[in-house]
Amino acid sequence: MKLTPDDLRIRQALEQIETPMYDIAGAVREQRARRSHRMPLRSPQRILAAVLAAVLLTATAAAAVVQFSGGWNALFGQNVMIPDGLATPVRQTQTIDGCTITLEDAIVSEDAVAVLYSFRYADNSTVNTGSRITLLGNSNLLMDGSDEYCASSSGIGSMDSQNPSVEYYYEAFSLTEDPGDRQLTLTIAPASYMEQSDTLPAPMNLSAIYLSHPVSYQTEDGGAQRLIALQQQDCADAILPQSYQFPEIQFAGVAFEGETLCVSLSMPEYDSYDSASAQIESLRDIRTNHLYYGSLHSYGDTDCATELCETQFEGLTEEDLPYLEPQISYRRYIPLTKTGWSFSFRAPSAKTLTRELNLTMTDGIRLDALTITPLGVNLSGTMPVDPTSEEPLYFDDRQTPTVALVLQDGTTVRTVSRGNSLSLDSADPTTAQFGIEYQYQNDSESRRFLQTETITAIRINQFTISIEE
């Protein structure tokens, strides 16, 4: 299923991860700091005091472990690894309209800032329930009060499986300048919550609607073309189950794109703060009671005033239309806070390594540049494409180079590819430029972060590249 940004936020809100494990590194740092101020002992009384102090220190260290944010573990697995001193504790909390966000930690490098923050209700009630899902607004990172330095961002969210009253979020921002020791401000737009209805039947004659004006989409047709084509169909008798409550949401029509059946709703463009939307969850075959599930796609018209919410079904034909009944669900987004949150902090930046490359892989893939940060590795280069193909910008997973790093102690850190970007070269339509992002892995379930000073070499497929000081 192709998900909209709102759907992705909702899915992230419902992810369940293992119980948080707490950071031992913080306790070690505290213990080392206290040792640096320890006085020489000469008397038995002082020795006894030292023993008692050691006991208290152990208890204090344990308490520090318990108090350290469980967000890293909730988001990245029980065995997540963060080097001592890489993450900067921020510990800023703001409560607005009964909603509390705590900016807990930040990792700052020469070209990126990653932040971890948590959301709670002030009364510690459950964040997400069966009928209500809490949604935070978009986040942004300002440097010295400006957003011009922020090139891109990505993030995830996850519930604490042992504590349903807290949800953690992680955002990574790519920057165009070194943010070290500069004023950084994380802004988070106002929060809302989503109420979703049960799936409701919408009895209507899909065959009659289609035959009133048969529509066949072309693959390249966008939202404006689809809406114009559907407007010629007769949908007057297509009454939606909650039309009395949401009259602005209407049945848009039925079409085919090749052998794919497309069934659509139209509505004003919605947002996840204060609006309503609907989608066709499935089609019920009234002959057998079987439910057909499809993939969801969203299209906007030319001026982005109307949203076409289209569900596509494979394997259904025009002969099936008289026996298919749409099953529809509604979503209502209701504001929680009138304003958003803003947190400002400073932190030194960890070192980022960059290298120019001249490596040619299989299938003509050429690697031109390498960036190694505490958050992961980025490779960029070019690859040949077939401009006559239906999907010229398709990147096969088998083409993705494998990447591993060798540390000073001789151990190897493997990575996992977490996404790529592709764009055609305007000067050469047979070539595409790409970027691939890799994240460090501690095990199959847990992520790792690295101090780049500990890396001595990187292995890309069969090539090994030394990292010079």
Side-chain angles (χ1 to χ4, degrees):
M1 175 180 288
K2 183 177 180 181
L3 301 176
T4 65
D6 292 336
D7 294 318
L8 289 172
R9 291 193 193 101
I10 293 163
R11 172 173 287 185
Q12 291 166 0
L14 296 178
E15 289 175 348
Q16 298 293 319
I17 311 297
E18 297 291 333
T19 308
M21 183 180 73
Y22 299 96
D23 182 327
I24 298 175
V28 172
R29 288 197 302 272
E30 183 175 351
Q31 186 171 353
R32 287 175 178 171
R34 296 191 179 195
R35 284 178 178 172
S36 67
H37 294 89
R38 187 171 53 191
M39 298 296 292
L41 304 177
R42 294 188 177 88
S43 67
Q45 291 82 0
R46 287 184 176 178
I47 293 174
L48 177 60
V51 172
L52 293 174
V55 173
L56 289 173
L57 180 61
T58 302
T60 303
V65 170
V66 172
Q67 292 172 1
F68 191 82
S69 169
W72 295 103
N73 186 258
L75 290 164
F76 301 119
Q78 288 186 341
N79 297 320
V80 61
M81 292 183 65
I82 304 175
D84 185 18
L86 180 61
T88 299
V90 181
R91 304 295 189 269
Q92 295 182 21
T93 297
Q94 295 177 14
T95 299
I96 298 175
D97 297 331
C99 299
T100 299
I101 290 181
T102 299
L103 176 56
E104 304 195 8
D105 300 296
I107 295 178
V108 178
S109 67
E110 293 176 353
D111 66 347
V113 173
V115 293
L116 186 147
Y117 54 95
S118 61
F119 175 89
R120 294 175 175 82
Y121 285 106
D123 61 2
N124 287 321
S125 59
T126 300
V127 175
N128 296 316
T129 65
S131 61
R132 186 184 76 173
I133 297 175
T134 303
L135 301 172
L136 295 188
N138 293 330
S139 61
N140 194 17
L141 187 76
L142 313 179
M143 186 160 66
D144 297 334
S146 173
D147 62 358
E148 65 177 311
Y149 304 100
C150 184
S152 64
S153 66
S154 61
I156 60 174
S158 179
M159 296 297 298
D160 182 341
S161 60
Q162 298 300 308
N163 185 359
S165 66
V166 61
E167 183 168 17
Y168 293 103
Y169 293 84
Y170 169 88
E171 299 274 355
F173 299 89
S174 297
L175 302 179
T176 58
E177 291 188 13
D178 186 351
D181 293 316
R182 296 174 69 171
Q183 186 73 18
L184 302 174
T185 303
L186 174 71
T187 63
I188 303 172
S192 62
Y193 69 90
M194 185 204 76
E195 291 182 340
Q196 180 161 331
S197 72
D198 295 332
T199 302
L200 306 171
M204 61 181 67
N205 192 334
L206 295 184
S207 180
I209 294 172
Y210 177 71
L211 292 175
S212 68
H213 185 83
V215 174
S216 296
Y217 294 141
Q218 301 302 310
T219 304
E220 64 272 12
D221 285 348
Q225 292 90 340
R226 291 173 185 252
L227 281 165
I228 290 172
L230 293 177
Q231 285 170 358
Q232 301 176 73
Q233 291 185 343
D234 182 4
C235 299
D237 295 330
I239 307 301
L240 298 183
Q242 290 193 357
S243 58
Y244 63 93
Q245 188 173 359
F246 305 108
E248 69 277 13
I249 300 175
Q250 300 178 355
F251 187 79
V254 185
F256 283 91
E257 183 179 322
E259 297 182 354
T260 301
L261 171 63
C262 306
V263 187
S264 302
L265 304 175
S266 66
M267 63 201 74
E269 186 180 28
Y270 65 91
D271 60 59
S272 58
Y273 181 66
D274 187 6
S275 64
S277 68
Q279 63 189 47
I280 298 172
E281 299 282 353
S282 61
L283 295 175
R284 185 178 72 89
D285 191 324
I286 62 175
R287 298 167 294 186
T288 62
N289 226 26
H290 178 76
L291 292 175
Y292 295 97
Y293 293 92
S295 59
L296 184 67
H297 300 257
S298 293
Y299 301 91
D301 63 1
T302 304
D303 58 4
C304 296
T306 302
E307 189 94 8
L308 189 69
C309 187
E310 178 180 288
T311 308
Q312 299 180 357
F313 301 88
E314 304 289 344
L316 295 174
T317 67
E318 183 179 341
E319 287 70 30
D320 295 308
L321 290 179
Y323 311 103
L324 299 176
E325 178 186 74
Q327 309 294 300
I328 298 176
S329 68
Y330 291 83
R331 292 175 176 176
R332 178 75 176 94
Y333 301 94
I334 302 170
L336 271 173
T337 65
K338 296 178 181 178
T339 61
W341 294 260
S342 178
F343 304 90
S344 293
F345 62 99
R346 293 175 182 266
S349 59
K351 188 176 181 181
T352 292
L353 303 175
T354 59
R355 295 287 186 275
E356 292 185 358
L357 301 177
N358 186 13
L359 300 177
T360 301
M361 305 285 136
T362 58
D363 302 324
I365 293 177
R366 178 184 175 87
L367 300 181
D368 298 330
L370 160 72
T371 303
I372 305 175
T373 78
L375 308 182
V377 174
N378 290 278
L379 293 178
S380 60
T382 59
M383 62 180 290
V385 296
D386 180 3
T388 64
S389 170
E390 291 184 359
E391 294 184 282
L393 295 181
Y394 177 71
F395 204 119
D396 193 323
D397 288 342
R398 292 172 295 181
Q399 297 175 286
T400 305
T402 59
V403 173
L405 295 101
V406 181
L407 304 186
Q408 292 173 343
D409 60 6
T411 59
T412 299
V413 177
R414 71 181 186 91
T415 68
V416 174
S417 172
R418 291 301 186 187
N420 62 69
S421 60
L422 282 166
S423 61
L424 286 175
D425 189 332
S426 58
D428 182 4
T430 64
T431 301
Q433 298 176 333
F434 68 83
I436 309 174
E437 177 187 352
Y438 298 83
Q439 294 177 358
Y440 310 119
Q441 292 294 113
N442 183 36
D443 54 34
S444 60
E445 302 294 335
S446 302
R447 185 171 169 181
R448 183 171 184 172
F449 299 83
L450 287 177
Q451 291 278 19
T452 57
E453 291 86 349
T454 65
I455 301 170
T456 60
I458 182 170
R459 296 172 182 164
I460 306 174
N461 284 1
Q462 72 272 27
F463 301 97
T464 298
I465 303 169
S466 297
I467 305 298
E468 300 86 1
E469 291 296 331

